[in-house]
């Protein structure tokens, strides 16, 4: 069954589930932005009842850790937005309520950092957790000495000791070297080796002020491999990595700096090192999929949220200790609690399905354009927002002709090209971009617009040639 599902194309699914035709494809590839909006319910429908939280045990301290970990980098502000983006004060009462609810329903792992929520996360977490018995929770934080100004031993120690003060604790359950590999071996050595901080942290673990010592990995795999080669010396208690069903084998297609989670997980698994997961939803992308992909998951489990698939996927791997979710609102917490209370691992067929969803996502990534028009006018006459809108609408609705051998290919190919010409006059299409980059300075989404124009133009040219 697994092999059979892998051989079912996206077009096959659309023919079965939606009866795609050239007419519907042409309508779907119009220019109305509301056609492309995802209207998926972000949470379970309520038919599932909550049971007992799923727990995993560490290999060294034998902590019994909740599979759902509370990521403390997206707390709500008093204005209702995420403190990661907004400047308003964090809503301490809302945070207290969420953490109380999480504790009541079995969540005992809380992950913060001196750098989160613009420097306020540890203090907010400390206030919320200190209202509960210390033995009821595990707190994780990081030595976040990112700036060269903090690489000295004196400044790094200040960061370390401040964590105890803000968190209101006399020991830290899980301490991490933060963002290892972000800028290679040289920076790693300056942040943790040359100043003696790694040796200091190892001594702190011996003294019991750190119960578990690990690192979070971002970027350069040379550093990851080096630290694992030192495992016999350092005895890492856990390691935090980015993992989700897209990053499993497509990490570099999402971000060329990343490493496939398949490799990272396997290296940790063979050393019996517990794995903590960050970015389970790939920055939110796996919570609101394009419509045609959401439909595939909803057809399988109508009562489950789209996000729950990503969390169930991760829980299926036995070496994973906890999955961090940065939850801003109570509804997200409740949804995640339902998913892991208890966990229902993915079946082989479901695993094949999410991998096929991942393949579709990386083949046709959405351009994060909001249509704000700040990039306009283009000095060379391109209609940048409408080019993106036409492309995104066709991706969102699943009408991207991509298989020459498919019976629907010719109709959908014609529909895309006709829709493109109707939406964007030929003299304003992507092929006229010279890559000057003037538009990029005005894009609030940070889109590398010339690169996206080249990608879309290459796709259009391939369609014109019938490929």
């Amino acid at each position: 069954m697994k092999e059979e599902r892998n051989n079912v194309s996206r077009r096959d699914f659309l023919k079965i589930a939606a009866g795609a035709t050239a007419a519907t494809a042409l309508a779907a590839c119009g220019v109305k932005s509301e056609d492309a909006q995802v209207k998926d319910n972000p949470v379970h429908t309520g038919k599932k009842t909550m049971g007992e939280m799923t727990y995993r045990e560490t290999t060294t301290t034998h902590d019994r850790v909740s599979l759902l970990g509370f990521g403390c980098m997206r707390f709500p502000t008093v204005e209702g937005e995420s403190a990661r983006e907004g400047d308003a004060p964090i809503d301490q009462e809302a945070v207290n309520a969420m953490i109380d609810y999480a504790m009541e329903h079995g969540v005992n792992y809380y992950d913060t950092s001196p750098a989160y929520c613009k420097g306020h996360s540890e203090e907010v977490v400390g206030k919320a957790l200190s209202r509960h018995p210390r033995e009821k929770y595990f707190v994780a934080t990081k030595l976040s000495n990112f700036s060269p100004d903090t690489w000295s031993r004196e400044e790094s120690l200040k960061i370390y000791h401040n964590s105890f003060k803000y968190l209101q604790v006399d020991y830290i359950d899980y301490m991490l070297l933060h963002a290892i590999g972000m800028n290679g071996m040289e920076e790693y050595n300056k942040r943790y080796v040359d100043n003696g901080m790694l040796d200091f942290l190892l001594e702190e673990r011996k003294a019991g002020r750190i119960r578990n010592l690990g690192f979070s990995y971002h970027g350069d795999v040379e550093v990851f491999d080096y630290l694992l080669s030192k495992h016999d010396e350092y005895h890492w208690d856990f390691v935090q990595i980015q993992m989700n069903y897209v990053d499993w084998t497509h990490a570099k297609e999402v971000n060329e700096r990343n490493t496939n989670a398949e490799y990272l997980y396997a290296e940790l698994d063979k050393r019996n090192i517990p794995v903590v997961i960050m970015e389970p939803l790939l920055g939110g992308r796996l919570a609101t999929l394009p419509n045609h992909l959401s439909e595939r998951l909803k057809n399988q489990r109508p009562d489950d949220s789209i996000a729950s698939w990503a969390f169930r996927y991760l829980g299926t791997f036995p070496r994973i200790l906890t999955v961090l979710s940065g939850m801003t609102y109570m509804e997200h917490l409740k949804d995640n609690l339902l998913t892991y209370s208890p966990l229902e691992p993915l079946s082989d067929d479901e695993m094949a399905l999410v991998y096929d969803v991942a393949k579709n996502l990386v083949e046709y990534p959405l351009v994060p354009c909001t249509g704000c028009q700040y990039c306009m006018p283009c000095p060379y006459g391109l209609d940048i927002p409408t080019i993106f809108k036409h492309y995104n609408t066709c991706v969102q609705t699943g009408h991207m002709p991509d298989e020459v051998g498919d019976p629907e290919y010719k109709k959908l190919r014609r529909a895309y090209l006709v829709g493109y010409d109707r939406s964007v006059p030929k003299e304003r299409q992507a092929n006229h971009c010279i890559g000057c980059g003037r538009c990029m300075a005005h894009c609030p989404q940070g889109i590398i617009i010339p690169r996206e124009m080249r990608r879309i133009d290459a796709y259009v040219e391939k369609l014109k040639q019938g490929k």
Side-chain angles (χ1 to χ4, degrees):
M1 185 67 177
K2 181 175 180 180
E3 181 179 349
E4 179 182 329
R5 186 178 294 275
N6 277 328
N7 291 330
V8 176
S9 70
R10 174 153 50 95
R11 190 64 53 233
D12 291 333
F13 171 81
L14 287 169
K15 284 183 290 185
I16 296 170
T21 64
T24 58
L26 184 57
C29 294
V31 297
K32 293 183 179 181
S33 60
E34 61 265 28
D35 291 340
Q37 291 173 353
V38 175
K39 297 181 175 64
D40 176 52
N41 184 354
V43 297
H44 289 78
T45 61
K47 293 185 179 180
K48 181 179 178 181
T49 57
M50 193 180 302
E52 183 180 352
M53 170 62 63
T54 300
Y55 293 90
R56 299 277 168 83
E57 187 172 302
T58 61
T59 53
T60 52
T61 53
H62 300 289
D63 292 339
R64 189 167 175 262
V65 176
S66 57
L67 187 54
L68 176 61
F70 203 126
C72 302
M73 70 184 308
R74 293 184 174 90
F75 284 145
T77 70
V78 294
E79 294 182 355
E81 60 190 350
S82 167
R84 189 180 187 188
E85 288 81 30
D87 294 319
I90 294 173
D91 188 337
Q92 185 72 56
E93 291 187 7
V95 173
N96 290 352
M98 289 180 68
I99 287 182
D100 289 351
Y101 192 88
M103 295 276 281
E104 180 184 349
H105 291 86
V107 177
N108 62 9
Y109 191 98
Y110 298 85
D111 173 85
T112 182
S113 158
Y116 291 171
C117 298
K118 301 182 180 178
H120 300 293
S121 178
E122 283 188 326
E123 186 174 7
V124 171
V125 170
K127 290 177 180 178
L129 289 179
S130 64
R131 299 155 49 253
H132 297 270
R134 181 65 180 92
E135 69 275 8
K136 295 295 185 181
Y137 62 86
F138 303 116
V139 63
T141 193
K142 306 167 183 72
L143 185 51
S144 305
N145 54 349
F146 297 125
S147 169
D149 295 339
T150 63
W151 289 353
S152 70
R153 183 181 180 87
E154 179 183 6
E155 291 300 318
S156 296
L157 285 172
K158 186 183 298 184
I159 293 172
Y160 174 75
H161 291 302
N162 278 341
S163 291
F164 286 81
K165 178 176 70 174
Y166 293 136
L167 291 168
Q168 303 182 41
V169 297
D170 54 14
Y171 65 89
I172 290 173
D173 299 284
Y174 293 83
M175 172 61 74
L176 299 94
L177 314 185
H178 198 180
I180 292 301
M182 185 174 290
N183 292 298
M185 284 295 300
E186 182 178 359
E187 181 178 296
Y188 161 74
N189 285 325
K190 288 180 178 178
R191 288 178 61 193
Y192 295 113
V193 179
D194 298 344
N195 59 11
M197 284 306 298
L198 178 54
D199 289 336
F200 170 79
L201 295 175
L202 292 169
E203 289 300 317
E204 288 290 277
R205 182 173 62 179
K206 286 182 182 179
R209 286 181 287 273
I210 294 173
R211 296 184 59 251
N212 297 273
L213 181 62
F215 63 90
S216 64
Y217 166 69
H218 299 254
D220 191 338
V221 74
E222 177 189 3
V223 186
F224 177 84
D225 289 339
Y226 171 77
L227 290 186
L228 289 194
S229 74
K230 305 285 283 185
H231 179 50
D232 288 343
E233 179 181 347
Y234 298 149
H235 302 289
W236 303 113
D237 297 297
F238 69 110
V239 171
Q240 187 167 307
I241 63 171
Q242 178 170 318
M243 178 171 161
N244 48 68
Y245 59 77
V246 172
D247 280 324
W248 184 247
T249 54
H250 299 289
K252 286 192 176 298
E253 294 167 76
V254 176
N255 185 333
E256 62 183 18
R257 288 174 51 86
N258 290 348
T259 305
N260 283 345
E262 181 180 32
Y263 173 80
L264 303 176
Y265 179 86
E267 291 299 302
L268 296 169
D269 185 38
K270 70 185 183 184
R271 293 172 174 83
N272 298 320
I273 300 175
V275 184
V276 174
I277 299 302
M278 56 187 167
E279 295 293 349
L281 296 177
L282 195 58
R285 288 177 59 186
L286 303 186
T288 52
L289 297 173
N291 295 345
H292 67 290
L293 298 179
S294 294
E295 288 172 7
R296 296 185 65 179
L297 302 184
K298 283 294 186 182
N299 283 346
Q300 292 293 315
R301 298 174 70 94
D303 298 332
D304 289 5
S305 69
I306 299 303
S308 70
W309 283 81
F311 286 100
R312 288 179 57 227
Y313 167 79
L314 292 164
T316 304
F317 292 82
R319 187 63 62 188
I320 290 176
L321 178 67
T322 190
V323 179
L324 302 177
S325 179
M327 297 169 283
T328 305
Y329 306 111
M330 185 69 81
E331 65 188 66
H332 300 147
L333 171 60
K334 290 180 177 180
D335 186 51
N336 292 338
L337 285 169
L338 281 172
T339 301
Y340 283 155
S341 301
L343 164 73
E344 182 184 344
L346 293 187
S347 66
D348 288 346
D349 288 345
E350 289 175 326
M351 190 72 79
L353 175 57
V354 297
Y355 284 144
D356 194 55
V357 167
K359 178 175 177 290
N360 280 273
L361 281 173
V362 298
E363 282 183 346
Y364 299 110
L366 288 169
V367 181
C369 174
T370 62
C372 69
Q373 302 281 332
Y374 291 169
C375 58
M376 298 295 284
C378 168
Y380 295 91
L382 276 73
D383 187 349
I384 298 170
T386 306
I387 293 169
F388 288 157
K389 184 186 295 184
H390 175 78
Y391 174 85
N392 279 347
T393 300
C394 291
V395 172
Q396 197 82 358
T397 54
H399 295 96
M400 295 293 283
D402 58 352
E403 298 173 17
V404 177
D406 193 297
E408 299 288 340
Y409 174 79
K410 289 183 178 180
K411 294 179 181 179
L412 292 172
R413 167 180 167 271
R414 182 179 182 279
Y416 185 96
L417 293 175
V418 170
Y420 188 41
D421 287 343
R422 288 181 177 177
S423 301
V424 188
K426 288 184 181 295
E427 65 274 12
R428 306 194 70 186
Q429 293 181 359
N431 61 316
H432 292 283
C433 177
I434 70 165
C436 70
R438 294 183 189 179
C439 49
M440 290 173 55
H442 306 288
C443 178
Q445 304 302 317
I447 301 170
I448 304 177
I449 295 173
R451 183 178 69 188
E452 296 297 335
M453 288 293 159
R454 290 193 298 271
R455 182 168 69 85
I456 292 173
D457 180 51
Y459 178 69
V460 169
E461 287 301 313
K462 184 174 78 169
L463 292 182
K464 288 180 178 178
Q465 295 170 20
K467 296 180 179 180

